[in-house]
Amino acid sequence: MEQHSNPFAGSTPAKRTAQDLEAVTGLKLQYAEDCFRVSGCYEAALASFAQSLPLLPKEYFDAYETVEKNASKLNEELKLVYQKARELKTGDLTDADVWKLFQLNPLFSGQKSASAAAPASGGFPFDKKQPAASTETEAANPLKFDTKAPAASGTAQAPTGFSGFGTKAPAASGTAPAATGFVGFGTKAPDTTDAGAASSAPTFGGFGAPAAAADTEKEEKKPEVLYCEPEHFTGPLLDMPGFWEAEVVERCALLNLNGGFIEANRDKLLPRLERWVKRASFYRAPVKYARIVDRDEEVTRVIIKDADRTFNAPEHREKFVHFLHAMYHEFHAYGQAMSYLAGLCMLVLNEDDTAAVLRFVSKEYIRGHWAAEAVGFATSAWVVHYFMEKRFPAVANHLMELKFWPDTYLQKILTGLCIHVLPFQELFTFLDAFMEGGMAYLIKFCLGIVERFQDRFLAIKDSMEANKVYEMMRLDSHATNITDIRAILARAPEIDLGENTNNIDLLRSEMYEKHVLPRLQRAPKKDTFEPCALCEKGRPKWWNDDLGHVCNECKDKHPNEVFEDF
Amino acid sequence: MAKAGSSPGGDCDYIFKIIVIGDSGVGKSSLTVRLSEDVFYKDYASTIAIDFRMHQMQYMDKRVRLQIWDTAGQERFQSVATAFYRGANGVMLCFDLTHRPSFQHLEQWVERVKQQALPGIPCLLIGCKSDEARDNRQVTNDEAIAWAKQHNMFFIETSAKEKENVQQAFQQITKSIFEDMKDRNGKNLPTAREGSVNLEGQANHKEKKSCC
C-alpha cells in the first residue's frame, strides 16, 4: 500500500546518504557532503555531480577511477533520476518542488547503492558520445563527461545557466528540473524540454545521446496564453441551479451508465471524492484560467466538442470548456479521456479540487496517457502485456500470434479509466481502487479480465474474431455481464504482480525502448520532408527525371519541363 | 489484420479492414455505430485512441465482414499508426459538412494515409451530418466532389442520425476494395510504401478509385 502514495511508485523509502555518494563517485567525503547538503538528496546530488564532473579538480576525489568503474550503474541511476524528473516537471511545479519530491520520496534505497554493486566492467559509456567541454577541461578531466542532461525533445533548448554553489539553476518552464548547483563548479545545468510527450516518454538516451525521435515534435502548437480570472462559477456542478434537471434527469452523455447511482448517492459522493482530493493534496493549487481567444484553435475545438458530448446545457458545457482549457494550458497537452474524469469529479468537487485530482492522476499514475499522441499509454499497454506474458503466457502468446497488440485494446482501461465502460456503481469502486493503487491497480484489473476470460481468449481462432478481444477488454454488455464485472473487480486487488510490482517504472522504460521507440523512429514525422532538390526549402510536390523532386514554386520556374506527382 | 482476397470460410467470404479517420467530432463514431448497431446516440462519448467494430454485409453474391477501426480524431498517429494502418484495405475519410475546418484538414489526413497505409489503398470521402447541413452547410457538394475527384476517390454525404447513406457508404468502400483487389491481382502493383510515389500517376482515374 505504501508504494501507492509514493509518486515514485516502485521506490523504496530508505534514503541514501552522502556516504553513498562518496562511495559511488569516489569524491572525498567533505565534497560529497557539501554536494549532498546543497542538493538535499542523493538523487539531486548525483545529477549535480554528473553535470559538474568535467570541471571537478582531481583533488576533490579520493579515488578518481571510481566513477569509471561505476559508470554503468551510474548511468542506470541517472537514467531513472532524469526520467522521473522529466515526468514530474510539468505544470506549476518548480525545479525546487521536483527535487523536494526526491527528498520526500527517494528513488533509491541505501541497500541498492551503486557502490554496493560490482563495478562495471568495460568502458565508460558516456565517454564516446560526449563532445569535449573544452580543451582545458579535457586536460583536467579525461573522462569528458558531458554536462547535458538527456534531451527529452529534439527541440531541446540550450542548456540553462548554472550559477554556482548553492544557487538554483534556472530552467525554462516546462523543462526537466535542473539539479541544484554543486560547489561552484560552473557547469551548466541539464535542460530537457518536456511538452506533453516528454512526460510520457520514459526515455533516456544517455548523456549526449540523440533525443528520442518521439520528441522531435512538440506535443501541441502552443498559442499565446492570456491568463485571466474565471468569469464562470467554479464550484461543483451539482450546486448549479438547473444542473440536476438538465443533466441528471435528462441524462447527459457523461451519465450514460449512471443507472440511478448519482440519485442514490448524492450525499455520499462528495465525501467519497474528497478522499481522492486528500490523496492528491500535494497537487492542490489554484487553477490558472486562460482566455479563450480562438475557439477554432485545434485543441480548443476538441475541448468544445468534448463538452458538447458530455453535458446537455450550454452553461454546463461552457464551465466545462473553461476548466479543461485551463488544464490544457497547464499540462501543455490535452487528451480527450481527461474530460471523462474531469466531468465526474466536477459533479461534486470545485475546480481547484478537480484540478488536483487530475494532476495527481496524470503525473503520478498514468503519465503521458492523456496526450494527443499517447506515447505513455502505448508504453503502459506493453507493460500490461509483459505481465500477461508472465501470468497468462498462453493468452499473451495467442494474442500476439493473432497480431492483437495491447496498445489497440487497452485504451478504455488505461486511458479512459473505465469511464463509459463500467456502470457507475462498479465504476466508482474501480476508481476508488485506482486512486489507491495507481498503475499497478490498472495492470491488475487488466489481468483480472484476462484471467476471467482466458478460455474465451484462447478460443479465438483467428483475426476474423478480433471483435471478441475488443468486446471483452471493453467489457461490452453483450460479451460480458455484471457478474463478470463484479468478479473482476473483486479479484483484481488480489492479483500478485510478483517481484516486478515495484519496478513498473523500470518496465515502462524497457517497454518503451523495446516496442514504442522503434515505431516512433520509423514513423514519418508530420512536418518532416526532404526539401525540394532545387531550392532546398519547399515541400516537394513534383517529380522530374532530371531535376528530381521539386516544390510548386520551382516547378513554375521550369515551364518547359514535364513533371509528375511526387 | 484480415488478408484481403483470402477466402476465410465460415460465415463470410471476405474480411476487410476499414479505418475511419477525420477530425474530432465530425461523426466517425456515430457513422460506425449506426452501421454496426443501427442506433444513433445524440452525444456519443469521444473516442479514445481506437475503437473497433464488426459488420457483416452482403456485396453482390459475396458475404463480407468489415472490421471497422474507428479512430480518435485528436490522436496523433506516430505511436499507434503501425497497428492501426497495418493491413488496412480501405479508408473512410470523414469531415463535417457543417464545419469547414474539418474539410480543410482533409489534406493532412490524406498525407497521413499516404505515409502509413499501403500505396493505392482505396479511400472514400464522407461528408457527415447531412441532416444538419440542411440549415448550416459550410461545404458545398460541388467542392467536396471536386476535392474527392482531385484525390481520386468517391464522395458521399451521410447522416447517421437519419440513417441516410450509411449503408451505401460502406457498400461503396467495399466495392472500391473489390475493384482494388482485382486491379492489384491483375497488375501486380507494389505493396511496399515506397511504391506510393508513382502509384497515383499509374492509377486509371476513370476505372479505379484509389487515393494514395
Side-chain angles (χ1 to χ4, degrees), chain B residues 119-156:
Chain B
I121 187 169
C123 295
L124 176 66
L125 180 65
I126 298 178
C128 299
K129 305 182 187 177
S130 62
D131 53 295
E132 290 184 25
R134 283 195 288 270
D135 298 324
N136 186 28
R137 177 179 285 271
Q138 293 187 6
V139 181
T140 68
N141 187 268
D142 286 347
E143 58 187 333
I145 289 173
W147 191 94
K149 191 173 180 183
Q150 182 189 350
H151 292 81
N152 205 25
M153 63 181 84
F154 287 105
F155 169 64
I156 191 166

Side-chain angles (χ1 to χ4, degrees), chain A residues 237 243 245-259 262 304-313 316-317 320 339-341 343-344 347 418-424 427, chain B residues 30 40-47:
Chain A
L237 282 162
F243 182 84
E245 185 64 29
E247 312 293 350
V248 181
V249 175
E250 293 298 321
R251 208 186 72 174
C252 61
L254 177 68
L255 304 184
N256 273 341
L257 297 175
N258 175 27
I262 299 293
I304 292 169
K305 279 285 177 189
D306 286 349
D308 291 350
R309 290 181 280 188
T310 304
F311 298 115
N312 296 327
H316 308 141
R317 291 175 176 178
F320 200 48
S339 73
Y340 291 6
L341 186 61
L344 280 185
L347 291 174
C418 288
I419 301 168
H420 293 296
V421 169
L422 297 176
F424 270 31
L427 172 65
Chain B
S30 293
F40 174 74
Y41 298 112
K42 173 168 61 79
D43 291 314
Y44 199 82
S46 59
T47 306

Side-chain angles (χ1 to χ4, degrees), chain A residues 276 280 283 320 323-324 327-328 330-331 334 337-346 349 351-366 370 417 435:
Chain A
W276 303 358
Y283 291 98
F320 200 48
F323 174 75
L324 292 175
M327 298 314 295
Y328 154 52
E330 180 180 318
F331 290 170
Y334 176 74
M338 196 164 96
S339 73
Y340 291 6
L341 186 61
L344 280 185
C345 290
M346 287 170 73
L349 298 178
E351 294 184 9
D352 282 352
D353 285 345
T354 300
V357 173
L358 295 186
R359 291 176 190 128
F360 173 70
V361 167
S362 69
K363 291 174 182 174
E364 296 196 13
Y365 284 168
I366 53 169
W370 289 343
L417 303 177
M435 290 296 171

Side-chain angles (χ1 to χ4, degrees), chain A residues 15 17 28 32 132 162 165 190 262 306 350 357 359 375 419 425 478 480 491 509 514:
Chain A
K15 294 181 180 180
T17 64
K28 288 178 178 174
F162 185 72
F165 184 73
I262 299 293
D306 286 349
N350 65 40
V357 173
R359 291 176 190 128
V375 175
I419 301 168
Q425 182 73 45
H478 60 274
T480 65
R491 172 74 179 122
S509 184
K514 184 177 178 182

Side-chain angles (χ1 to χ4, degrees), chain A residues 218-219 253 301 308-309 334 336 340 372-373 404 411-412 463-464 467 470 474 519 525 565, chain B residues 1 15 24 43-44 46 48 50-52 54 65 67 69 74-76 78-79 82 86 99 200:
Chain A
K218 283 284 184 187
E219 175 64 15
R301 198 185 79 79
D308 291 350
R309 290 181 280 188
Y334 176 74
Q336 291 175 282
Y340 291 6
E373 184 188 350
F404 296 149
Q411 62 272 19
K412 301 237 177 213
S463 62
M464 285 172 64
N467 56 310
Y470 293 84
R474 68 186 177 211
R519 280 198 227 168
K525 303 296 177 287
D565 278 355
Chain B
M1 193 161 287
I15 306 169
S24 180
D43 291 314
Y44 199 82
S46 59
I48 308 168
I50 305 165
D51 216 337
F52 181 89
M54 286 287 238
R65 180 176 290 182
Q67 293 183 339
W69 295 63
Q74 198 208 358
E75 301 294 333
R76 290 185 179 166
Q78 288 173 357
S79 59
T82 312
R86 187 160 44 90
H99 190 255
E200 209 166 42

Side-chain angles (χ1 to χ4, degrees), chain A residues 93-112:
Chain A
L93 284 186
T94 64
D95 293 359
D97 289 336
V98 172
W99 292 115
K100 274 180 190 170
L101 284 174
F102 280 98
Q103 293 175 36
L104 295 170
N105 303 276
L107 198 56
F108 309 113
S109 71
Q111 295 170 339
K112 291 182 180 176

